[in-house]
Amino acid sequence: MTSLILWAVIGYLLGSIPFGIVITRMLGLGDLRQIGSGNIGATNVLRTGNKPAALATLLLDSGKGAIAVLLARALAGDGAALIAGAAAFLGHLYPVWLNFKGGKGVATFLGTLLALDWRLGLGACAIWLATALVTRISSLSALVAAALSPLVALWLDGPRLALVVAFMAVLIFIRHRANIARIRTGTEPRIGKKT
């Protein structure tokens, strides 16, 4: 139990690093929380017009979930990996350094899934891509991928992984409440469209 708590703390601290804010400040692009949607993720970094900064944010936000999982698995086993991954995801959504106001979690979710089970991660990415190609709505693609990922996890690995993935999926839906409202009214921006 002590080991699992330790990995939860390590995962949370890794996940809570706000790479979007760090990168935009280092590049002199301003305070990300005062730009566009105010979100700390890669989509909002892209609104600064700096594509390399957005890509770096995407990779680092994905990577912190993956690193938490891989470290925990290597040093403490699969149970610790599940805990560390979920905690890293929570850290991104509710970082202590930003008064618990973090990102929406999609990149960290996908990176965590890839590290937990690469087949699950690739499946979630494929679902996102297929939905995006059809709808041209990034948030809807994320929601569909999150909704279906627990089922894929259950099929691939059983109930333990599926429960952790379902926990993260529910949080993605909570963090996307405003997006869901815009999707319902038909006002959610489409990929490639200037906002």
Side-chain angles (χ1 to χ4, degrees):
M1 182 59 74
T2 303
S3 173
L4 293 180
I5 292 171
L6 174 64
W7 282 107
V9 172
I10 291 170
Y12 175 84
L13 291 175
L14 274 171
S16 68
I17 301 169
F19 284 114
I21 289 178
V22 172
I23 289 169
T24 51
R25 282 190 178 168
M26 284 176 55
L27 296 175
L29 300 173
D31 185 346
L32 191 57
R33 292 166 293 181
Q34 306 300 320
I35 297 168
S37 66
N39 194 280
I40 66 167
T43 301
N44 204 39
V45 175
L46 189 59
R47 292 188 176 105
T48 67
N50 192 313
K51 290 180 181 178
L55 178 60
T57 302
L58 177 67
L59 294 174
L60 290 167
D61 280 350
S62 301
K64 62 189 181 183
I67 288 169
V69 169
L70 296 173
L71 273 177
R73 181 180 288 142
L75 298 174
D78 286 339
L82 285 169
I83 296 292
F89 180 73
L90 269 178
H92 179 75
L93 268 57
Y94 305 105
V96 64
W97 327 112
L98 302 177
N99 296 316
F100 304 102
K101 296 176 182 175
K104 293 183 179 178
V106 177
T108 307
F109 176 72
L110 293 175
T112 301
L113 295 192
L114 281 164
L116 287 170
D117 186 321
W118 63 269
R119 300 167 301 170
L120 172 60
L122 288 181
C125 290
I127 293 167
W128 185 97
L129 182 60
T131 309
L133 288 172
V134 172
T135 68
R136 306 288 299 167
I137 301 175
S138 179
S139 59
L140 180 58
S141 304
L143 291 166
V144 172
L148 295 179
S149 289
L151 298 175
V152 178
L154 182 64
W155 177 61
L156 288 172
D157 200 74
R160 189 170 71 156
L161 178 60
L163 281 173
V164 172
V165 176
F167 165 73
M168 293 190 285
V170 167
L171 289 174
I172 283 182
F173 271 78
I174 291 170
R175 297 295 288 178
H176 281 77
R177 289 188 307 267
N179 302 84
I180 292 168
R182 289 192 297 269
I183 290 167
R184 285 177 172 168
T185 60
T187 58
E188 181 73 344
R190 294 183 181 270
I191 297 169
K193 183 179 179 181
K194 299 289 184 182
T195 57

